[in-house]
Amino acid sequence: MKIIAGNWKMNGSRTGLNAMLCDLENVDTKNTVILCVPYTMLRAGNARVAIGAQDVSQHTHGAYTGSVSAQMVADAGAKYVIVGHSECRQYNGDTNSTVRQKAAQVLANGMIPIICVGETMDEKQAGKTMAVIESGVRESIPSDVGTPIIIAYEPRWAIGAGLTPTADEIAGAHTLIANTLSEMGLAGTPVLYGASVKGSNAAEIMSIPNVDGVLVGGASLKSDDFIPIITSVK
Ligand code: PEP
C-alpha cells in the first residue's frame, strides 16, 4: 500500500474539490489518498480521501494577522498538513527550524505533518544534495515525536519543472532518509517522493526501494491526471 498525496498549491475551488472527491470516492484502490488544498477549501474528506492543508503557523494563536493555526486547520477537517514545502521555504522564508515548530503544532493538534526536504539546483551543483537532505530530516522533525509523521523528499529544482532525478538518485536519497530516520528512532516512517510525478512515471518511481508513495503537484488538479497515479500501484 502506498500513500498518494496531492498538493493543489494556490489552485482550485470548493466546487472543484467537491467534484474531485466524488470522482475519487469510486476509485478502486487500497492506497491512502490525501488532497492538500488551500485553507478556504478545507473540509472533512470522505471514506477514500483525507484532506490536508499546505502550511500552518508555528504559533498557537494570537496577533499574527493573516496566519492560520494548526488548531483551526484541524477544526476545519484536515488530517494532514504539508510543512516545509519548497515554495514556503523559498517565498515565506521557512527554515528547518520553523518547519520543526510547525510540525510540532500539527502533531499537537492530532494531525500528521508531511515534512518536505530537498535540495535546490545550486545545492545540487555544489555537491551538497546528501548533506542538505540529511540536515533537513534531522533539523525539521520535532524531537519528541510520538505519533506518525510523513517525510517527502522533493528535489526543489525538479518541482513543477517536468524534470525528475534518475532512479538511482531517487534511490540514493530515499535510502539516506530511511537510514537517518532509523538512527533517529523513527524507522518505518513513510517517505514520499515528489516533483513532476505523473501517470506515466508514477509506477516506476514507486517501485524504487524506500519510496512509500508520492507527493503530486500539477498532476493532482484534475481527476483524469490524478486517478491514473492513484491506480498505478495496487
Ligand atoms: C509539489 O508541489 O509538491 C510538487 C511535487 O509539484 P509538481 O508535481 O507539479 O512538480
Side-chain angles (χ1 to χ4, degrees):
M1 201 187 81
K2 302 286 186 183
I3 299 170
I4 317 289
N7 172 19
W8 276 17
K9 311 192 188 211
M10 199 171 73
N11 294 296
S13 64
R14 288 192 294 168
T15 308
L17 175 60
N18 292 341
M20 184 173 277
L21 288 174
C22 285
D23 291 346
L24 298 186
E25 201 161 15
N26 299 316
V27 172
D28 182 20
T29 182
K30 291 196 166 55
N31 296 323
T32 298
V33 182
I34 305 162
L35 269 180
C36 296
V37 298
Y39 291 130
T40 55
M41 298 170 211
L42 289 176
R43 47 159 285 179
N46 60 29
R48 182 55 43 76
V49 187
I51 296 294
Q54 302 169 6
D55 193 14
V56 79
S57 173
Q58 66 268 45
H59 306 291
T60 52
H61 65 278
Y64 299 101
T65 301
S67 299
V68 175
S69 74
Q71 188 178 26
M72 294 167 184
V73 161
D75 184 48
K79 301 288 180 211
Y80 297 83
V81 183
I82 296 172
V83 289
H85 189 275
S86 168
E87 287 143 23
C88 295
R89 291 178 186 262
Q90 182 177 351
Y91 303 128
N92 307 345
D94 276 7
T95 62
N96 289 340
S97 171
T98 48
V99 173
R100 186 173 67 245
Q101 295 169 55
K102 290 179 176 193
Q105 291 291 334
V106 174
L107 289 164
N109 285 278
M111 298 176 290
I112 297 178
I114 302 173
I115 301 171
C116 299
V117 300
E119 78 285 2
T120 62
M121 182 52 96
D122 282 352
E123 290 163 343
K124 178 179 168 63
Q125 287 175 339
K128 293 182 181 162
T129 296
M130 292 306 197
V132 169
I133 293 171
E134 183 169 350
S135 60
V137 171
R138 290 194 185 277
E139 295 169 14
S140 302
I141 299 177
S143 54
D144 50 356
V145 174
T147 47
I149 62 168
I150 296 172
I151 302 295
Y153 167 56
E154 296 209 303
R156 295 173 59 179
W157 50 273
I159 294 175
L163 302 170
T164 45
T166 65
D168 281 351
E169 286 172 327
I170 295 175
H174 279 251
T175 300
L176 170 68
I177 294 170
N179 290 342
T180 305
L181 288 166
S182 188
E183 284 171 23
M184 296 171 74
L186 295 169
T189 294
V191 184
L192 313 184
Y193 168 80
S196 300
V197 175
K198 42 191 189 279
S200 56
N201 63 14
E204 186 190 346
I205 288 171
M206 284 190 273
S207 72
I208 296 170
N210 297 310
V211 175
D212 301 303
V214 286
L215 179 54
V216 185
S220 69
L221 288 169
K222 291 188 193 145
S223 301
D224 286 353
D225 295 328
F226 197 38
I227 290 173
I229 297 173
I230 296 168
T231 56
S232 65
V233 174
K234 293 292 167 210

